[in-house]
Amino acid sequence: MKHHPVRSPFGEPAVASCAVDAQEISSAAHMVLRRLVDGPTSVYQALTDHIVASQSPFEPCPTVNGALRGLVKTLQGEGLAEPEEIRAVHAQALTLLQQVEEWQDRAHTVRDFAGRAEAALERAYAPTLAVEHSPSATPLARLCDALGPFPYLENYQRLVEAESRLLRGVRHVWFGGAGPAPLTGLLLHATLGVRVTLVDVDAEAVEVSQALVTRLERMGALIPGFVQTRHADLRDGIDTDDVDALLIASLVDEEAKVQVAQHVATKARRPRLLFRSARGLCSAFAYRPTPRARIEAAGWRFVGHLAPETQASVRDPEVLAIVDRRILNSTEVFVAQGREADRG
C-alpha cells in the first residue's frame, strides 16, 4: 500500500509539530475509523441496522440519537487532547478512508443519514419551542430560553456569533434552506438586530417555521416584522435589491448552491454569499463541502472561511476566524468578482 504522509495545516508533516509520534497518530486514526465505519459497533453499522429494523428510520429515537452523538463526538475529537493532535489524526484517518472504496461508501451513507436525521430532528422539535414565556430581560436571552430544548443549541450560538462578526453593517440577510426550526436565522436577527428572511423550498417547513416565529414575537424574543418566512426556490426566486448577505445552509445540495451563485451573479446588486460547509473528516461524514471552484466560476471570489480549531489553524492564510472545536461546520465567504473583499 502506498504511504501518504500526514500533512498538518502548516504545510509540514504533522509528526514534526505534534506532541505524538507517527505510530500513535496512525493508531488513533484507525480507532477513529473503527468508531465510524469499520466494525460491528461503528456508527455506520448502528445506522444501517436501524434502517432495516425501523419503518421511520430518520426520526429521533434512542438508537438514532445515540449513533449521531457518537458521530459528533468522534468528529469533535473525543479522546484527543489538543486541536493540533486532532487535525493530525483526522488527516491520517481521511487518507486511510480514501484508500478503501467500501469505507468511502459507508461514510457517504452516514453523511446522507445524518442530513436526513437532522431535518427530522428539526421537524420534531420545532413545535416544542417557544411554548412557555421567558422571564429573561433581553430579546436574545428570551430567544435562547425559548430555543433551549433543541439539541446542539450552544453549537449554533457559537457559530452564529462568529458569523455575525462577518456581517457587521448588514441590514437584511436571507437564510436559504432555513428548515422548520431555523435557529441560525433567528439567532442572527437577535444578535445583530437585522431583518432576516427565512427561505425554504419545502412549504411544510415554511409553515412550521412561521408558527415558531409568531410564538417568538408574542413572547418578545423577536422584533415584530423583522423575521419573515418565504416559500421559494433560491435558484430562481430571489430579488437582491435590499439583501446585503445570503447565507446558505449546510444541507442545501451542491447543485443548488452552484445554481444560487449563478442566479445571484446575474443581479445588478450582488450581496455577499456565505455557504455553510465542512472540511477534512467532517466533509466525509457530516456535511458536503462547498464546491468552491464552481462558485468562483460563476463569478464569485473566495474571501476566506471560518473553521473550527479541529479543522484549521490560525496560520492558515484563508482563515477568517477559528471557532470552538465543538462546531462541525465551516463557513465559506464569497464576494462578487470586482468587489473589494471584506475580511471582517
Side-chain angles (χ1 to χ4, degrees):
M1 180 180 294
K2 184 179 179 180
H3 176 65
H4 296 270
V6 182
R7 305 298 295 180
S8 81
F10 309 154
E12 298 295 331
V15 293
S17 56
C18 193
V20 293
D21 63 22
Q23 184 175 355
E24 290 174 323
I25 290 174
S26 179
S27 176
H30 280 91
M31 177 61 73
V32 165
L33 292 176
R34 282 195 293 273
R35 289 178 180 176
L36 296 176
V37 294
D38 184 30
T41 61
S42 66
V43 170
Y44 167 81
Q45 193 62 54
L47 294 178
T48 52
D49 288 347
H50 179 67
I51 289 172
V52 172
S54 175
Q55 293 182 338
S56 302
F58 306 107
E59 299 302 315
C61 70
T63 299
V64 172
N65 296 347
L68 295 184
R69 274 197 300 271
L71 172 66
V72 170
K73 287 181 178 180
T74 300
L75 294 177
Q76 289 171 334
E78 183 180 52
L80 301 171
E82 299 298 328
E84 190 173 7
E85 180 185 1
I86 297 169
R87 293 196 296 270
V89 170
H90 283 191
Q92 176 73 348
L94 186 60
T95 296
L96 294 170
L97 179 74
Q98 291 169 342
Q99 294 171 350
V100 181
E101 187 174 350
E102 182 180 3
W103 288 355
Q104 294 176 56
D105 292 341
R106 291 181 176 188
H108 295 161
T109 296
V110 171
R111 185 177 64 190
D112 292 344
F113 187 103
R116 297 177 71 172
E118 183 175 329
L121 186 72
E122 288 194 21
R123 289 194 301 271
Y125 270 88
T128 73
L129 305 176
V131 295
E132 295 183 3
H133 179 73
S134 167
S136 295
T138 67
L140 179 58
R142 286 193 288 270
L143 177 64
C144 292
D145 288 346
L147 302 179
F150 193 85
Y152 310 115
L153 173 62
E154 289 187 7
N155 293 2
Y156 280 91
Q157 290 175 278
R158 290 183 176 92
L159 182 55
V160 168
E161 181 181 4
E163 290 170 336
S164 296
R165 291 195 288 272
L166 301 179
L167 295 171
R168 288 181 300 219
V170 307
R171 294 170 297 176
H172 187 188
V173 179
W174 276 43
F175 178 40
L183 274 68
T184 292
L186 298 171
L187 289 166
L188 278 174
H189 160 71
T191 302
L192 293 171
V194 298
R195 291 189 297 133
V196 174
T197 299
L198 307 170
V199 187
D200 204 284
V201 72
D202 185 319
E204 182 180 357
V206 173
E207 182 179 354
V208 173
S209 65
Q210 179 58 58
L212 174 59
V213 168
T214 299
R215 295 196 300 274
L216 289 167
E217 286 183 342
R218 288 173 179 167
M219 67 188 308
L222 305 177
I223 301 173
F226 266 56
V227 178
Q228 301 287 329
T229 59
R230 181 165 177 178
H231 177 217
D233 188 332
L234 282 173
R235 291 172 289 189
D236 57 17
I238 179 172
D239 182 350
T240 62
D241 285 350
D242 70 340
V243 180
D244 301 303
L246 180 58
L247 172 60
I248 306 297
S250 307
L251 296 183
V252 174
D253 66 60
E254 177 177 318
E255 287 303 316
K257 287 179 178 177
V258 172
Q259 290 169 17
V260 167
Q262 292 170 337
H263 174 71
V264 178
T266 66
K267 299 293 184 179
R269 189 171 190 268
R270 293 170 291 173
R272 72 189 77 169
L273 297 182
L274 289 79
F275 292 93
R276 289 269 178 88
S277 186
R279 294 163 55 90
L281 206 60
C282 286
S283 69
F285 284 96
Y287 300 106
R288 294 178 182 273
T290 298
R292 183 189 302 182
R294 299 181 67 192
I295 301 297
E296 291 177 325
W300 299 89
R301 181 159 52 86
F302 177 70
V303 175
H305 58 85
L306 307 177
E309 59 184 354
T310 54
Q311 298 176 23
S313 160
V314 291
R315 299 187 187 184
D316 182 340
E318 294 184 340
V319 167
L320 300 173
I322 295 292
V323 295
D324 191 281
R325 64 186 287 175
R326 285 167 285 189
I327 306 300
L328 301 186
N329 288 109
S330 60
T331 304
E332 300 196 352
V333 183
F334 296 80
V335 296
Q337 291 179 7
R339 278 183 52 182
E340 287 297 319
D342 175 11
R343 294 183 63 90

